[in-house]
Amino acid sequence: MKEIIWGSYRELRQLIHLLLPLCVHFIAEQMTVPLLVDVTTKAFCDNNDDAKSTTCPQAIYLNGLQQTVVGIFRVVMLPFLGQLADEYGRKPLLLLTISVSIFPFAVLAWSESKQFLYAYYVLRMISHILSQGSLTCISVAYVSDVVEDSMKAPAFGWITGLLALSHFLGNLLSRILPGDYIFEVSILLLALCPVYLKLFLVETIKPASRQEQHSSCLATINNVLKKQYKSMKNGLAVVANSGTLKQIALITFLYKLGMSGISSVLLYYLKSVFSFNKNQFSEILMLVGIGSIFSQILVLPFINHLVGEKGILCISLLASTAYGLFNGLAWAPWVPYMSTLFEVVYVLLEPAIYAIVSKATNKTNQGKIQGFNASVKSCATLLSPLAMSPLTSLFLSSKAPFDCKGFSLLCASLFMVFAFFFALRLYLDSGTSASDPEDNSVTIEAPLLS
């Protein structure tokens, strides 16, 4: 085992040069999350005459709008940026996706007024479209280039473990740093990441040569659209040929529809009901971070041998349902803290889904079907705020038809119940059933931007 893990020092060193700036980047982003709720509600709702009301529908709607817009564009941008990274190198795309997060926080560091907050949300939408999801995907592709087959599973575990660790450290910094300095420290850390990547990260692939320099802009756009359409059509055909992939796509959609709806409004809900501030948010997120590191790195391999991926999927869906119910029916400020126990369990759902999809697909379709599953999640993410934002705002206001401030969270939990029902009926087939109708065609694609 020692020879497998430490046999290639050069590969490990290259991996450190990727994982270190990624860790710092996620720390810098996470440390701003608890403070953003206070900044947003202060800018939009500080003039509320009712001293007892901490409801801020403007902030809830704006946050839902951001999530919807980002979700729409991510459906297209995720596969597009991934293919560009295959053609023109991992390093340029990593530099792009890791750099765009600096500008939104620079706006808030300058001023936290309502006008600057609008500018922040516009820039944040653009940065999320370019970086959210794609940064992780390109990083995984880089690890696949650098690490040999026997090391890939541990390397991917390091990425997910470091992500959870970064969330914990970011929330810890948010808890101990004064609010006046959080955005400035975040900008400094975010700016260090692309500099480090530029200086130390080694490119792993040769950029594709441009064979048609004379091609017009219109021809290039037409080429891009044709290739994206063909890729989507092939992905749908592969899914249609596999019962497992069809079921897992439905389960993923229902789960993400409910969970993204809860996560998009939960902090504003807790602030309205229990007057939580950045300190309470940081404490809750820190508890989740510690538990997620433990559950993903240590508990998941052990449980997988006992119950398998389907068992993990069902357990995670039960935990996510309980998480939504306990938060929606929270009767005391300590209940949201207790619900983090369920959150530590349901984070195991996504690794289980990745494993199920991988086993139901042959090697030539791995990237295609994982990308399709990511698009399903993006569709659910952009749809959920359309219902959750107005529903949450209604039941937090004085115009609610009945007294149940967490009614929207209870409704979102129903989608996880439906997902659990389909997970119980899930049939796991082999990868040979998910064959691509165009497997005999040429598998190497020409560059998108030639």
Side-chain angles (χ1 to χ4, degrees):
M1 180 66 69
K2 184 176 180 180
E3 183 179 351
I4 293 176
I5 295 178
W6 300 104
S8 178
Y9 175 75
R10 183 181 177 185
E11 291 180 358
L12 180 64
R13 185 174 59 185
Q14 284 184 257
L15 197 57
I16 289 175
H17 290 327
L18 172 69
L19 296 180
L20 180 60
L22 278 183
C23 184
V24 174
H25 173 82
F26 289 125
I27 288 173
E29 284 211 327
Q30 187 64 28
M31 65 187 293
T32 65
V33 172
L35 181 61
L36 281 172
V37 179
D38 288 343
V39 171
T40 305
T41 53
K42 180 180 178 181
F44 289 112
C45 308
D46 198 36
N47 296 324
N48 245 336
D49 293 332
D50 186 0
K52 293 184 178 180
S53 177
T54 52
T55 305
C56 190
Q58 297 97 322
I60 295 174
Y61 279 115
L62 191 58
N63 193 63
L65 175 64
Q66 174 189 330
Q67 187 173 331
T68 300
V69 172
V70 170
I72 292 172
F73 284 96
R74 277 180 60 200
V75 173
V76 179
M77 292 303 295
L78 275 171
F80 180 68
L81 290 174
Q83 187 161 344
L84 288 181
D86 288 338
E87 296 161 8
Y88 300 104
R90 316 294 189 202
K91 190 171 180 178
L93 271 296
L94 283 171
L95 288 172
L96 170 66
T97 53
I98 208 170
S99 300
V100 292
S101 298
I102 301 172
F103 305 102
F105 296 116
V107 171
L108 285 184
W110 184 269
S111 174
E112 297 178 4
S113 64
K114 184 182 294 187
Q115 292 77 13
F116 279 81
L117 201 62
Y118 279 124
Y120 159 80
Y121 271 101
V122 172
L123 292 174
R124 191 61 170 162
M125 285 185 206
I126 298 172
S127 71
H128 272 179
I129 289 169
L130 292 174
S131 65
Q132 195 177 53
S134 58
L135 179 59
T136 304
C137 290
I138 299 169
S139 300
V140 168
Y142 184 92
V143 172
S144 299
D145 298 335
V146 172
V147 179
E148 59 186 18
D149 289 344
S150 61
M151 280 279 292
K152 283 183 179 178
F156 294 147
W158 295 340
I159 290 180
T160 56
L162 273 179
L163 182 60
L165 177 62
S166 300
H167 284 181
F168 167 74
L169 294 176
N171 290 305
L172 179 62
L173 283 176
S174 178
R175 183 68 177 83
I176 63 178
L177 282 177
D180 294 339
Y181 298 103
I182 286 180
F183 290 126
E184 286 79 0
V185 174
S186 176
I187 293 171
L188 177 62
L189 295 177
L190 288 171
L192 289 175
C193 297
V195 174
Y196 186 95
L197 285 175
K198 179 66 176 177
L199 293 176
F200 298 105
L201 192 70
V202 178
E203 183 57 76
T204 57
I205 64 173
K206 291 183 178 180
S209 59
R210 300 194 178 196
Q211 301 174 351
E212 300 178 10
Q213 296 285 351
H214 59 279
S215 297
S216 65
C217 180
L218 186 61
T220 301
I221 295 174
N222 186 49
N223 184 38
V224 170
L225 293 177
K226 283 183 178 179
K227 289 183 181 297
Q228 290 298 315
Y229 172 74
K230 183 179 179 181
S231 179
M232 291 177 64
K233 184 177 70 173
N234 292 344
L236 288 173
V238 173
V239 173
N241 290 334
S242 170
T244 296
L245 294 178
K246 286 187 288 188
Q247 288 177 287
I248 207 67
L250 177 60
I251 293 169
T252 299
F253 180 79
L254 291 172
Y255 164 78
K256 202 64 181 179
L257 194 64
M259 188 53 65
S260 61
I262 292 174
S263 61
S264 66
V265 300
L266 180 61
L267 298 186
Y268 296 97
Y269 161 78
L270 294 177
K271 184 174 183 64
S272 175
V273 176
F274 300 115
S275 300
F276 277 16
N277 57 30
K278 82 173 184 69
N279 291 337
Q280 281 82 32
F281 295 145
S282 296
E283 291 166 357
I284 290 176
L285 295 173
M286 283 167 57
L287 289 174
V288 173
I290 295 173
S292 297
I293 296 169
F294 178 78
S295 62
Q296 290 180 80
I297 296 178
L298 300 178
V299 177
L300 180 59
F302 176 73
I303 295 181
N304 189 49
H305 286 293
L306 296 177
V307 298
E309 289 85 3
K310 181 178 177 179
I312 294 173
L313 183 66
C314 293
I315 293 171
S316 300
L317 287 170
L318 281 176
S320 65
T321 303
Y323 174 77
L325 292 175
F326 271 83
N327 279 303
L329 297 173
W331 56 91
W334 57 266
V335 177
Y337 286 87
M338 186 191 67
S339 68
T340 59
L341 296 174
F342 300 108
E343 192 169 357
V344 168
V345 176
Y346 80 68
V347 295
L348 302 178
L349 182 136
E350 291 203 2
I353 288 179
Y354 292 148
I356 292 171
V357 171
S358 179
K359 290 183 178 181
T361 312
N362 57 41
K363 290 184 177 180
T364 59
N365 294 321
Q366 289 290 329
K368 185 185 299 181
I369 304 306
Q370 294 286 5
F372 173 81
N373 209 50
S375 296
V376 169
K377 289 191 287 186
S378 294
C379 290
T381 300
L382 70 91
L383 288 175
S384 61
L386 299 179
M388 287 295 292
S389 295
L391 193 63
T392 302
S393 179
L394 173 63
F395 278 88
L396 290 178
S397 70
S398 58
K399 299 179 181 179
F402 52 89
D403 185 18
C404 183
K405 296 183 182 297
F407 182 73
S408 60
L409 305 184
L410 301 181
C411 293
S413 300
L414 288 177
F415 290 105
M416 269 85 82
V417 174
F418 297 146
F420 174 72
F421 172 76
F422 287 109
L424 290 175
R425 301 167 60 88
L426 179 66
Y427 173 75
L428 302 181
D429 55 25
S430 63
T432 56
S433 63
S435 58
D436 190 337
E438 298 189 13
D439 272 347
N440 296 327
S441 62
V442 179
T443 58
I444 300 177
E445 298 184 27
L448 279 176
L449 302 178
S450 56

